[in-house]
Amino acid sequence: MSESLSRSGLAFGAGAYLMWGGFPLLMHALQPAGAVEITAHRALWSVLVCAAIVAVIGGWSRLRAAVTDRRTLLLLCAAAVFIAINWLIYVYAVVTDHVNSAALGYYINPLFTVALGVAFLGERLRRLQLVAIGIAVVAVLVIGFGLGEFPWIALALATSFGLYGLIKKRVGGKVDAVTGLTVETAVLVPVAVAAIAWIHQSGQATFLARGEPGLGIGHDVLLWSTGAFTAGALLLFAAGARRLPLYVTGLLQYIAPTLMFILAVWHFGEPMPVTRWIGFILVWVALVVLTVDGWRARPRRREARVEPAKPV
């Protein structure tokens, strides 16, 4: 891997994770829209943006191959269900001032993914991986004890995204990132349209609504932008993933939850009691252990690359 490719890969990869990490700012700016309305518009506008990208890059043959292969189509439909759940819970976390919980969920996700590999792919845990998962379990228990409730947002985000990643792994290299997102969001369009119609009928819609603070053309444009934001971050990630080895991409993925955590504490002013600090510190320790293990187990060949996987 040449130095120039390394620099461009880092720029693309870091840019993608910075966009995902800053997503709470956009979600917060979309209020008074609720989580269901935001998620429905995100799915709707994402498929339109992706279709435009497919047209520009001439990707219709790849799209046709994906939807005519029954196994691939079924897997992408299942992936669509889990990414929709992930998007909905994530937006709900932001609009209800639980950005910290969302950050925790994406910190836990790599550890949960390791556990899924053992459960469903027959992978064996290395010693440091087992230690990291054990520390993460203790962290979740500490945070749950401090909150006085089950930390369902963080665990639901980690679970839904982990299962989404597992399904995408089953798809393998048959489907590129843009084609995959196009099919997945297309599957969600009927549900998204139905949700938007129901919200409008119930008088709770903010899109094209006027007369209340925060509503107007600016709000409508922001809702449209969720599609461009989703597809744009995905393209940056895919470009970076093709140029970077696995362990570097693994390190970059912590940018997004770290930025979320910073926004939650210092921008949105969410409370951070002592138990939550202890829990986050334990999670960071677990991630350091997992990263060290990944570094030690990294491929030694210079040509090692990651397969483009699709984040949120």
Side-chain angles (χ1 to χ4, degrees):
M1 182 172 61
S2 69
E3 184 179 2
S4 61
L5 285 180
S6 175
R7 288 180 176 177
S8 63
L10 285 172
F12 288 134
Y17 284 111
L18 285 171
M19 288 182 71
W20 283 313
F23 208 44
L25 294 172
L26 175 58
M27 297 296 98
H28 200 267
L30 286 171
Q31 294 186 47
V36 174
E37 184 179 15
I38 294 173
T39 304
H41 277 281
R42 183 179 184 184
L44 182 60
W45 302 118
S46 290
V47 72
L48 295 177
V49 173
C50 286
I53 294 173
V54 169
V56 170
I57 65 176
W60 296 116
S61 59
R62 293 193 295 272
L63 185 62
R64 190 180 307 111
V67 298
T68 54
D69 185 306
R70 182 178 179 183
R71 179 180 179 274
T72 299
L73 180 59
L74 288 175
L75 287 172
L76 290 176
C77 287
V81 172
F82 284 111
I83 199 60
I85 293 172
N86 184 272
W87 283 357
L88 182 60
I89 296 173
Y90 178 74
V91 177
Y92 172 82
V94 175
V95 300
T96 58
D97 299 323
H98 290 88
V99 179
N100 256 328
S101 295
L104 177 63
Y106 289 112
Y107 274 131
I108 293 174
N109 177 253
L111 299 157
F112 186 75
T113 299
V114 171
L116 285 176
V118 174
F120 293 99
L121 301 178
E123 298 176 358
R124 298 183 62 181
L125 281 176
R126 296 186 291 270
R127 183 177 301 175
L128 287 181
Q129 289 177 322
L130 185 60
V131 170
I133 291 174
I135 296 173
V137 170
V138 173
V140 171
L141 292 175
V142 169
I143 291 174
F145 176 79
L147 293 175
E149 61 183 21
F150 187 72
W152 70 269
I153 291 177
L155 293 178
L157 284 172
T159 301
S160 59
F161 194 55
L163 291 173
Y164 172 78
L166 179 65
I167 293 171
K168 296 292 283 186
K169 187 175 180 67
R170 295 289 189 182
V171 175
K174 294 182 178 180
V175 180
D176 63 274
V178 174
T179 300
L181 184 62
T182 304
V183 175
E184 290 158 14
T185 50
V187 170
L188 297 175
V189 163
V191 179
V193 171
I196 292 172
W198 175 79
I199 293 170
H200 273 272
Q201 187 175 9
S202 65
Q204 301 175 11
T206 63
F207 184 66
L208 300 179
R210 300 294 185 267
E212 294 184 18
L215 302 182
I217 186 63
H219 177 78
D220 298 340
V221 170
L222 285 178
L223 276 173
W224 293 336
S225 73
T226 56
F229 189 102
T230 300
L234 174 68
L235 290 175
L236 284 176
F237 175 82
R242 287 194 297 268
R243 293 166 171 83
L244 296 173
L246 177 60
Y247 68 92
V248 175
T249 304
L251 291 173
L252 290 178
Q253 70 179 318
Y254 301 130
I255 292 175
T258 299
L259 183 52
M260 288 183 222
F261 175 79
I262 292 171
L263 289 173
V265 177
W266 286 283
H267 182 73
F268 297 120
E270 293 185 14
M272 280 293 292
V274 174
T275 51
R276 183 172 288 185
W277 275 112
I278 294 173
F280 268 88
I281 290 171
L282 287 172
V283 168
W284 293 330
V285 171
L287 292 175
V288 169
V289 173
L290 189 68
T291 301
V292 170
D293 175 79
W295 175 269
R296 291 172 58 180
R298 73 190 188 280
R300 299 297 178 176
R301 295 179 302 168
R302 290 169 62 88
E303 67 270 23
R305 296 287 189 276
V306 293
E307 298 177 0
K310 185 173 42 172
V312 172

